[in-house]
Amino acid sequence: MASAYSGLASKLTSFSKNNFLSSSDLNSDQILSLFELAKQLKMGYRRIDLGNRVLGLIFKKASTRTRVSFQVAMTRLGGQTVDLNPQITQLGRGEPIKDTARVLSRYCDVLAIRTFSQQELEEYAEWSTIPVINALTDLEHPCQALADYLTIQEKFGKLKGINLTYIGDGNNVANSLMICGAMLGVNVKICSPKGFEADPQILEKAKSLSEFGSKLSICNDPSNAVKGAQVIYTDVWASMGQEEEHLKRKEIFKKYKVDQKLIGLADEEVIILHCLPAHRGEEITEEALESQSSNVFDQAENRLHVQQALLAVQLGGL
């Protein structure tokens, strides 16, 4: 077992102390090694104690799974978490990011930031001297994608050649699914209403990162999109910050609901994923979410394990 641990360490050491702003900040070998470490931590085969390290959380968007999974992950690594809520810090009073980032770099060992603008995240990374993690922006949700693909790997025993169809808004989750999936050999279809497709520039970026011949596409017909799919993935129709569009989007997206009829068109062993929270009866039915095909709570649990592994690597715990 010691040789297996040293093998993982050699593959992941190059990412130690690096930022994780996008799924593309890791390569396929690093992602798969991170999954192996996450599984070891999940099963209790390995324990990592980082000592009294501190994770700072800067969350401008509401959160349940991301916040709690990061807090628990850091606790399990022997560290602690500081909640830097903008409403109760000088962040909410207009202090420049470059000042905040340099100060926090002297207090904390790593920052996880959940905000709207990718540019804001990148500014923190520019001025910080500690690793910065993307805990969600409007452009990407890379920690979610890691948990998603770990869940798929656990279910099917592989990733290369798996067919994943995402049904819904071409949002940050869709973007990270394409980028991460391309590097892992997963065939990814993003199916959205016209006008709500994923960013074509992200699609081209994902294609440029493909290492195992992944087929990546954007389409508009859910019934055709799920044919042969081993994974059907969905998300809310209106993301945080789009609440005023909710009623309009309900009408536009009503044909993009994941229900038993749509699931019946996919592979017999299809699994259902949703990054949660779910609006039952909108993007997914109660029956589909609670069906035997649903793996959404395994998926949610895996946020904890991949983030624990990620923190351990970034903080030099291998």
Side-chain angles (χ1 to χ4, degrees):
M1 188 65 74
S3 61
Y5 291 164
S6 61
L8 278 178
S10 65
K11 292 177 181 179
L12 289 169
T13 298
S14 61
F15 190 67
S16 177
K17 301 180 181 175
N18 284 8
N19 298 318
F20 185 53
L21 310 183
S22 166
S23 293
S24 59
D25 287 336
L26 292 166
N27 60 40
S28 60
D29 208 24
Q30 289 171 329
I31 294 171
L32 293 173
S33 296
L34 198 68
F35 287 174
E36 184 57 37
L37 177 58
K39 286 185 281 189
Q40 291 176 4
L41 293 166
K42 181 178 182 177
M43 301 302 294
Y45 297 151
R46 188 170 188 191
R47 291 184 60 84
I48 297 174
D49 190 341
L50 297 175
N52 195 27
R53 302 292 188 91
V54 179
L55 164 65
L57 298 181
I58 302 175
F59 279 28
K60 288 190 174 181
K61 289 189 174 189
S63 172
T64 299
R65 279 150 292 278
T66 302
R67 181 186 297 277
V68 176
S69 57
F70 267 116
Q71 289 176 323
V72 175
M74 198 62 182
T75 300
R76 290 189 177 185
L77 291 169
Q80 58 183 302
T81 307
V82 176
D83 189 351
L84 301 163
N85 188 327
Q87 294 181 344
I88 57 173
T89 65
Q90 299 293 350
L91 290 168
R93 298 181 62 205
E95 182 175 32
I97 288 174
K98 62 182 181 181
D99 292 355
T100 302
R102 285 179 287 185
V103 170
L104 293 180
S105 294
R106 301 186 182 210
Y107 296 157
C108 302
D109 299 287
V110 59
L111 294 176
I113 300 174
R114 184 178 178 93
T115 189
F116 293 89
S117 167
Q118 184 79 11
Q119 183 178 354
E120 179 180 329
L121 177 78
E122 291 171 357
E123 188 175 354
Y124 272 105
E126 178 183 354
W127 291 99
S128 295
T129 56
I130 57 176
V132 173
I133 298 172
N134 182 348
L136 179 144
T137 66
D138 287 346
L139 185 66
E140 277 201 57
H141 199 355
C143 290
Q144 180 66 57
L146 290 177
D148 299 338
Y149 285 114
L150 174 59
T151 306
I152 294 168
Q153 186 192 61
E154 288 178 331
K155 174 63 179 178
F156 294 102
K158 65 174 186 176
L159 287 165
K160 291 179 185 177
I162 291 293
N163 298 317
L164 182 154
T165 298
Y166 171 94
I167 305 290
D169 187 29
N171 59 15
N172 48 6
V173 172
N175 290 342
S176 289
L177 285 172
M178 286 193 290
I179 294 171
C180 194
M183 291 188 287
L184 296 172
V186 179
N187 303 315
V188 182
K189 289 182 183 177
I190 306 296
C191 182
S192 311
K194 289 184 179 179
F196 295 86
E197 295 95 344
D199 186 339
Q201 291 184 333
I202 297 292
L203 175 63
E204 292 308 310
K205 177 181 180 179
K207 287 181 176 179
S208 73
L209 294 169
S210 176
E211 296 186 32
F212 305 106
S214 295
K215 297 176 183 178
L216 308 171
S217 61
I218 294 173
C219 60
N220 305 111
D221 184 348
S223 297
N224 284 330
V226 299
K227 290 180 180 177
Q230 292 146 299
V231 182
I232 295 177
Y233 195 124
T234 191
D235 190 9
V236 295
W237 292 337
S239 298
M240 286 175 284
Q242 299 172 332
E243 288 81 3
E244 72 283 355
E245 301 177 26
H246 187 223
L247 290 178
K248 175 185 173 183
R249 284 174 174 251
K250 278 182 70 174
E251 181 63 25
I252 295 171
F253 281 80
K254 63 184 180 182
K255 295 182 180 178
Y256 291 79
K257 180 183 296 185
V258 175
D259 56 18
Q260 293 304 118
K261 181 179 179 181
L262 191 67
I263 294 169
L265 299 174
D267 187 87
E268 289 184 1
E269 297 185 359
V270 67
I271 65 170
I272 310 302
L273 298 181
H274 191 308
C275 53
L276 300 177
H279 292 169
R280 299 169 189 236
E282 291 187 12
E283 74 275 2
I284 190 168
T285 63
E286 174 86 10
E287 184 181 12
L289 191 65
E290 298 291 351
S291 69
Q292 290 187 345
S293 300
S294 175
N295 281 239
V296 298
F297 296 107
D298 293 333
Q299 175 189 8
E301 179 188 343
N302 281 335
R303 291 293 305 278
L304 166 62
H305 306 302
V306 293
Q307 287 161 197
Q308 186 179 353
L310 180 67
L311 288 167
V313 172
Q314 286 179 307
L315 294 172
L318 296 185

